[in-house]
Amino acid sequence: MMKKFKFLAMAFSCLLAGTMFNSCSDDDPVEQTTFSMSTSTPTDIEAAGGPLTVDIKSNADWTVRSDADWLTISPTFGNGNATVTITASENTGYESRTAQVTFSYTGQTASGTTSLTLTQAGKEKPAAPTYHFDLLASVGATTGMSSTGVTSYLIRSVEPNDLVNPNYSVSYTGIGADIKSAELESEAVIYKGYYYEVAPKSNSWYGKYLINNEGATTVARFEMGSSVFQTRKYAHAIIAENEFVFIGSDKASSKGSQNNILWAKVKDNGASFTLEGEGVLDLTSATKELKEGGIVSFSTSGLAKYRSSDNTIIYCFTDKATDAAPGIYIAFIDAATMEIKNVVNETRVDEMAGTAFGELQQDKMFMDENENLYIACGNQIPDTEKSTQQYGRLIRVNKGEFDTDKNYLGYDKYDSGKILTVDYMGNNKVMLYIQDPYYCGLASTPTEYKGWGQNEFNSYYAVYDITTGECTELKYDGKPLPYSCGSFTDRVSYYNGKCYVGTCPDETTGNLPTIYIYDVETGSLTKGATLASGFYFDRLSVVDNVK
């Protein structure tokens, strides 16, 4: 409903007359003073501001003035008949405001004043946000393959207006949830305001949790069936509303010998779960044409993404055997039957950007507007000491296809910089979190191992164009953002045209963990809230408000 301001009176007039004696001649009549005004213009004027006209009929001199600076009047004086235009500027506040417009006239037989009261309503108040941001911070060490050094995982919920406020400090003292004390892990599926975990700690259940500034509350739990996953080590795909498919290695498998890849299809009923199906993905048989005898040793979780147009789960995994061929494997699975449609071997890359925790902690894949799937991968830098010293690549599976697009290889202009996370922002733009000790000044050569640790400040953010292949480092006030630590973090969230990016810098340099807001349309970067000192900032998530 458009807010309007109105005249309190639609139209009004006054006729005043006076007589006075003429000492010279009774034959020379004195003209009576007249003054009237009215408006034929609709008095409903848009809240954004606009004109209203008043018609004056008079034989006197007159003036018009207002006591409000948000009104302009033209003309402000005159004689005789005229049209006066009163224009209201936009009311940018939420409260209504009033003004008095005074008309004064002076004629031969009379003078006087009359006024109008104008009321302009405030603009419509925006609807309350339907989301908030959860900021995960760890105490003692940043999250990683091993969480033994972490003494607490703290989740603090922050309102959108606070997150973008550069004067706001996010504190964890006396507020927020310590999920470690609740025997939960930091790796979780976040969906519709809730956190979902499979096999938290040493337990064997599916769990749904509400986590906010008051703590962590268990909403529903359901004991696993025969498919018992390892803690933190599973991939997931959301195949319908409140319906999940989990894929990962058998909990009974020992490290380095994941011989079975299990699946389970689970429906969230609100306060309970339904196990709709479970089983073993027969990837060994499905890969016999790619490797003699088929693959028998798998990565712990791999990566999974659902393609709705043909009801297909695209599952990426690696061969962990000592005689493994180069590259990664991609299975195309019928989401209805969980039967494997096809498996391909992509040899242009050494491995996926992540194989252990799925996308529970970091985004490693994304789909564009055309349902083309992009997968972050890496190749070992030649002549380096460790296989983790990599430069990144993006591979693509086009919509409806059951193999990778051999004509596309993203990030191929760069032979350094390991892609840790990818967050799609629309319009062919991706926010990359890139690990590169040489670029960040920690190593003297691209091949030196120095600076590759997860607690080193060796990573930065950049915007990548998937069509042009151009990669541009984020800068604020013309300077690069402070370099961050954390190989297993994801401090990026895209929402409604804005990409929210968090840093975890070296505090000894005088920098605190900080939120920056990237406007995708304009390419501008603004500064938001900071985090209190002494915490490792690990994850930034957009979370729906639970009604």
Side-chain angles (χ1 to χ4, degrees):
M1 175 179 177
M2 301 295 293
K3 301 292 184 75
K4 310 291 183 180
F5 74 79
K6 302 181 178 180
F7 281 125
L8 297 184
M10 287 289 290
F12 53 89
S13 63
C14 61
L15 178 65
L16 299 99
T19 61
M20 60 184 298
F21 292 104
N22 189 318
S23 59
C24 297
S25 171
D26 291 339
D27 296 330
D28 187 13
V30 176
E31 183 179 16
Q32 294 182 335
T33 298
T34 61
F35 185 89
S36 66
M37 58 184 184
S38 63
T39 176
S40 59
T41 304
T43 58
D44 289 343
I45 299 178
E46 294 184 1
L52 183 142
T53 58
V54 177
D55 293 323
I56 294 177
K57 294 188 181 299
S58 178
N59 58 5
D61 296 328
W62 49 263
T63 61
V64 188
R65 59 183 176 83
S66 170
D67 63 356
D69 59 5
W70 48 273
L71 290 178
T72 57
I73 301 171
S74 179
T76 57
F77 63 90
N79 177 271
N81 299 337
T83 297
V84 174
T85 300
I86 304 172
T87 304
S89 62
E90 180 185 6
N91 186 357
T92 58
Y94 297 118
E95 302 299 325
S96 62
R97 58 188 181 183
T98 60
Q100 295 292 324
V101 179
T102 302
F103 294 81
S104 302
Y105 57 90
T106 301
Q108 294 187 46
T109 62
S111 63
T113 62
T114 188
S115 62
L116 307 176
T117 300
L118 301 181
T119 301
Q120 183 179 19
K123 69 178 183 179
E124 187 175 357
K125 293 183 179 181
T130 59
Y131 65 98
H132 63 275
F133 293 89
D134 277 0
L135 281 65
L136 169 70
S138 55
V139 179
T142 185
T143 55
M145 294 293 290
S146 173
S147 58
T148 56
V150 178
T151 59
S152 295
Y153 289 128
L154 305 175
I155 292 180
R156 170 70 195 279
S157 298
V158 178
E159 292 300 316
N161 288 340
D162 291 331
L163 193 79
V164 300
N165 182 358
N167 298 316
Y168 189 82
S169 177
V170 180
S171 173
Y172 291 85
T173 302
I175 186 170
D178 184 355
I179 60 173
K180 192 174 181 70
S181 65
E183 296 191 342
L184 299 176
E185 296 287 358
S186 64
E187 296 84 4
V189 178
I190 302 175
Y191 178 70
K192 289 190 173 181
Y194 295 96
Y195 286 70
Y196 296 80
E197 289 196 19
V198 175
K201 297 298 182 181
S202 59
N203 301 296
S204 299
W205 58 56
Y206 306 103
K208 176 183 178 181
Y209 307 90
L210 178 63
I211 299 177
N212 52 35
N213 287 335
E214 283 68 51
T217 303
T218 301
V219 178
R221 280 180 178 173
F222 181 75
E223 286 292 329
M224 295 181 188
S226 58
S227 295
V228 181
F229 299 93
Q230 296 188 56
T231 300
R232 307 189 298 166
K233 298 179 180 180
Y234 51 91
H236 76 282
I238 301 173
I239 62 172
E241 187 173 5
N242 301 320
E243 189 173 14
F244 308 86
V245 170
F246 299 106
I247 302 174
S249 59
D250 192 334
K251 186 175 183 179
S253 300
S254 60
K255 183 178 180 181
S257 59
Q258 282 68 233
N259 299 323
N260 290 315
I261 298 297
L262 311 178
W263 66 269
K265 189 179 295 185
V266 179
K267 181 68 178 292
D268 174 18
N269 303 310
S272 64
F273 289 108
T274 299
L275 181 61
E276 297 182 320
E278 60 181 342
V280 177
L281 284 178
D282 191 4
L283 293 170
T284 299
S285 297
T287 56
K288 285 184 177 179
E289 293 185 4
L290 301 173
K291 179 181 180 180
E292 185 177 355
I295 298 173
V296 297
S297 183
F298 303 93
S299 48
T300 52
S301 67
L303 300 172
K305 189 71 73 177
Y306 178 63
R307 190 168 68 190
S308 61
S309 60
D310 58 0
N311 200 34
T312 297
I313 297 172
I314 301 174
Y315 177 62
C316 307
F317 62 98
T318 57
D319 182 356
K320 303 299 289 186
T322 55
D323 63 345
I328 68 171
Y329 293 84
I330 304 175
F332 298 83
I333 304 166
D334 187 320
T337 64
M338 294 304 292
E339 295 295 322
I340 300 171
K341 301 177 183 180
N342 191 38
V343 180
V344 297
N345 179 209
E346 173 56 76
T347 59
R348 294 177 295 171
V349 296
D350 292 343
E351 59 182 48
M352 300 168 288
T355 61
F357 302 137
E359 290 190 290
L360 302 177
Q361 183 86 336
Q362 298 176 299
D363 291 325
K364 305 289 189 179
M365 304 190 292
F366 65 89
M367 279 187 174
D368 65 14
E369 297 88 342
N370 299 315
E371 211 181 28
N372 301 315
L373 175 65
Y374 293 79
I375 306 164
C377 299
N379 289 333
Q380 184 174 354
I381 299 172
D383 303 319
T384 51
E385 178 183 348
K386 304 285 187 178
S387 62
T388 54
Q389 294 175 263
Q390 297 177 1
Y391 57 85
R393 290 291 183 263
L394 289 174
I395 59 175
R396 182 171 70 193
V397 177
N398 294 327
K399 178 181 179 179
E401 299 296 325
F402 293 87
D403 198 350
T404 56
D405 183 350
K406 298 303 188 289
N407 294 317
Y408 180 85
L409 188 63
Y411 202 72
D412 60 339
K413 293 182 179 180
Y414 307 94
D415 289 331
S416 67
K418 181 179 181 179
I419 298 175
L420 298 178
T421 65
V422 292
D423 288 83
Y424 189 59
M425 302 182 290
N427 297 321
N428 301 316
K429 299 293 192 300
V430 187
M431 187 65 71
L432 301 182
Y433 181 48
I434 301 171
Q435 186 178 51
D436 192 338
Y438 176 66
Y439 184 88
C440 296
L442 300 180
S444 57
T445 67
T447 59
E448 185 180 8
Y449 184 64
K450 182 181 178 181
W452 277 94
Q454 69 178 23
N455 290 315
E456 301 282 355
F457 301 96
N458 56 15
S459 301
Y460 66 97
Y461 295 98
V463 177
Y464 181 72
D465 190 311
I466 57 177
T467 56
T468 67
E470 295 302 319
C471 192
T472 306
E473 182 179 3
L474 277 191
K475 293 184 178 182
Y476 177 70
D477 279 349
K479 299 178 181 179
L481 304 187
Y483 298 136
S484 295
C485 69
S487 304
F488 295 90
T489 62
D490 195 342
R491 297 178 292 264
V492 179
S493 280
Y494 171 80
Y495 185 84
N496 197 25
K498 301 288 192 301
C499 193
Y500 301 84
V501 175
T503 61
C504 188
D506 182 358
E507 293 189 10
T508 63
T509 63
N511 295 301
L512 289 174
T514 302
I515 305 297
Y516 294 88
I517 303 94
Y518 177 78
D519 188 296
V520 179
E521 183 177 355
T522 66
S524 62
L525 191 70
T526 55
K527 194 174 184 179
T530 57
L531 271 68
S533 177
F535 299 94
Y536 290 92
F537 184 17
D538 289 326
R539 189 176 64 214
L540 172 65
S541 305
V542 177
V543 181
D544 294 333
N545 291 340
V546 174
K547 297 180 181 179

